[in-house]
Amino acid sequence: MTATQPRPASENSRDVSEKGKSPVIRQKLSTNVRTDRIAKTAIALGVLALLIGFITTVLATPILPGQGTAIGGFAVLAGAALAYLSARQTRLSYERTSMDTIAEQKEAREQEHRREVERDLRARFTDAATQLGSESFASRVAGAYAIAALADDWSNFGRIPERQVCIDLLCAYLRTPPRDDQEPGAALQEQEVRSTILTVIARKVRMDPVDGDGPWQDCRFDLRGARLRGVAFERTRFRGQLQFADCVFEGEASFAHSHLVRADFSGATFKGTADFSSTQLWNVDLSDVSFDRSANFKRTQVQQDLDLTSVTVGGRLLNFTAAKFNSQSNTWMRGLDFTYQDGTTVIFTNAWFRGNVHFEPVEKHLKQVSFNTPQSWKVPPKVPWSDTGIPPAYVRPAVWPPPRAATHSTL
């Protein structure tokens, strides 16, 4: 068998360097090589054609005295032109190669920098997650802030899914029940950690006309089944999926002046007052919710679907004063149940009825329902007495539709 001849070292090194180049640079280098070859070939053919024409003319024409010197001078000029063009083409080729080399080096540096940044971000995630799971109260608080900062850094790095991973970790911490065997001091510290996470989330989804909106408004928040105390999400915007199903809100929970889009509160329990005043709602599910105390929807704007089916109210007031049920909305209030012994009052005074509202309460422990002075009656609410036009004794006003409805019927 014939032994395979070893390739020159220069060719091996050239192959290695070619493999290290990015596809874009390899394509640019290949294009430059083809361009150089085409240019040099064109110059050579042009000069060759000139020489052939010149020689043909000389051979076909008798040389007169004195013409030999002119012919020699022309040949010298042609040679000088060929040398100039060749040198110029070589210089341009060198400049293009140098520029490609600089671009290649810059790209290599940028790629290495991104790799270093990503390694650092992943190392920080590991450290922050370790802090969040620490037995030390201070370490857990620091870990919560570190995870939040890391989420923003991943976003700035262009890795949006990694930001969501950080948020998922914070939500998972809140979903994890605290230990029942903690000492009172440790329990208070644990609550402080959870309050810190809630505060961080609120700040990251805040609507702020001065400093700008928070960066997490489009993210998902999965807090299903969590026990949350002191939720203060005023002036926030949740455009991603917000999951509070089966959650227990201990103490007052406020979403006042917020924008909630695709929010699921189904089966949740509000131990304290629930405040949704001046909030705008798009596709919000509050079905099977228990409001152990009053619920405030004053000046709330229902933009799309709102489901309040089978809601239980244990407080003295369910307030929809000046609420706006807008034209694209559907609101279901079927099976509303009331457990407040002295009777619950439901208020729709000064409300705007422009969308579909289905109001079918359970009458037990229902003290009064007020539809006084509606600001708009464009789409009258569907109530059990719609067909007869005779409202029950607990409805105010005693006539149906309410007196001011005729004045504002076209609003």
Side-chain angles (χ1 to χ4, degrees):
M1 295 178 62
T2 304
T4 303
Q5 294 295 326
R7 299 176 65 186
S10 59
E11 293 186 11
N12 291 331
S13 61
R14 183 166 60 252
D15 288 346
V16 173
S17 62
E18 288 294 328
K19 292 178 181 178
K21 295 182 174 65
S22 69
V24 176
I25 292 178
R26 286 199 298 269
Q27 182 179 1
K28 291 170 65 178
L29 291 175
S30 177
T31 302
N32 289 342
V33 170
R34 288 197 298 269
T35 303
D36 292 343
R37 289 175 179 173
I38 292 172
K40 290 180 180 179
T41 301
I43 292 172
L45 291 175
V47 173
L48 180 60
L50 180 63
L51 289 176
I52 291 174
F54 175 71
I55 292 172
T56 301
T57 303
V58 170
L59 293 177
T61 305
I63 300 177
L64 299 177
Q67 289 182 337
T69 302
I71 292 172
F74 181 79
V76 171
L77 290 175
L82 177 60
Y84 169 75
L85 292 174
S86 178
R88 183 175 183 274
Q89 185 61 32
T90 300
R91 179 175 59 82
L92 292 175
S93 177
Y94 174 77
E95 291 177 353
R96 282 195 297 269
T97 302
S98 298
M99 292 177 64
D100 290 338
T101 301
I102 293 173
E104 178 185 4
Q105 293 173 348
K106 180 181 179 181
E107 182 179 354
R109 287 194 300 269
E110 290 176 351
Q111 290 178 350
E112 179 59 28
H113 174 67
R114 287 188 62 84
R115 285 192 291 267
E116 290 178 358
V117 171
E118 183 170 351
R119 284 194 296 268
D120 177 65
L121 290 172
R122 296 196 181 281
R124 285 172 54 194
F125 179 82
T126 301
D127 293 341
T130 301
Q131 284 183 299
L132 194 59
S134 171
E135 292 292 331
S136 168
F137 161 67
S139 294
R140 295 200 302 277
V141 172
Y145 284 118
I147 290 291
L150 185 59
D152 292 338
D153 289 342
W154 273 118
S155 178
N156 295 333
F157 189 60
R159 296 290 187 85
I160 302 301
E162 300 294 343
R163 176 181 68 180
Q164 185 62 53
V165 170
C166 295
I167 294 172
D168 290 344
L169 180 58
L170 295 177
C171 291
Y173 190 97
L174 293 175
R175 291 197 308 270
T176 303
R179 288 166 45 188
D180 295 331
D181 59 349
Q182 290 180 322
E183 296 293 331
L188 288 175
Q189 290 179 342
E190 176 60 20
Q191 181 54 47
E192 182 64 26
V193 175
R194 293 168 183 267
S195 297
T196 297
I197 296 176
L198 289 173
T199 300
V200 167
I201 292 175
R203 186 171 66 247
K204 295 297 184 179
V205 295
R206 190 83 69 201
M207 295 186 293
D208 192 327
V210 177
D211 297 330
D213 291 344
W216 294 4
Q217 294 184 1
D218 295 318
C219 297
R220 300 186 310 272
F221 296 89
D222 184 359
L223 293 164
R224 289 174 293 183
R227 298 186 68 91
L228 307 175
R229 180 182 295 275
V231 173
F233 283 171
E234 300 93 348
R235 302 187 185 279
T236 58
R237 179 186 285 119
F238 291 92
R239 284 192 295 252
Q241 192 172 14
L242 180 60
Q243 296 176 312
F244 282 114
D246 301 316
C247 193
V248 177
F249 296 90
E250 299 176 344
E252 182 177 353
S254 178
F255 295 87
H257 301 277
S258 296
H259 291 182
L260 304 182
V261 182
R262 293 189 303 159
D264 182 8
F265 292 86
S266 60
T269 299
F270 290 81
K271 296 290 189 181
T273 301
D275 188 0
F276 291 89
S277 62
S278 300
T279 297
Q280 297 192 39
L281 307 176
W282 289 264
N283 299 317
V284 175
D285 187 356
L286 284 159
S287 61
D288 299 301
V289 164
S290 293
F291 294 109
D292 289 357
R293 297 194 178 183
S294 297
N296 185 10
F297 292 87
K298 185 177 181 180
R299 291 187 299 273
T300 293
Q301 294 190 42
V302 183
Q303 304 290 5
Q304 290 183 2
D305 293 352
L306 170 62
D307 192 352
L308 288 159
T309 302
S310 300
V311 163
T312 300
V313 181
R316 65 179 185 84
L317 184 63
L318 178 59
N319 189 3
F320 285 95
T321 300
K324 291 185 177 181
F325 302 94
N326 291 326
S327 60
Q328 301 299 318
S329 68
N330 292 284
T331 303
W332 293 273
M333 300 183 189
R334 295 186 174 121
L336 280 178
D337 198 6
F338 307 95
T339 60
Y340 187 59
Q341 294 298 319
D342 293 337
T344 300
T345 299
V346 182
I347 301 178
F348 292 99
T349 301
N350 294 329
W352 302 70
F353 292 98
R354 293 169 171 169
N356 295 314
V357 177
H358 304 265
F359 180 72
E360 299 177 13
V362 176
E363 295 185 6
K364 184 179 180 180
H365 300 304
L366 180 56
K367 184 177 181 179
Q368 186 181 103
V369 179
S370 173
F371 286 94
N372 286 318
T373 61
Q375 297 301 306
S376 175
W377 202 254
K378 187 175 183 179
V379 182
K382 296 176 176 60
V383 293
W385 55 91
S386 292
D387 293 337
T388 64
I390 302 175
Y394 58 79
V395 175
R396 298 291 184 273
V399 296
W400 196 262
R404 289 192 63 185
T407 305
H408 298 276
S409 60
T410 60
L411 292 178

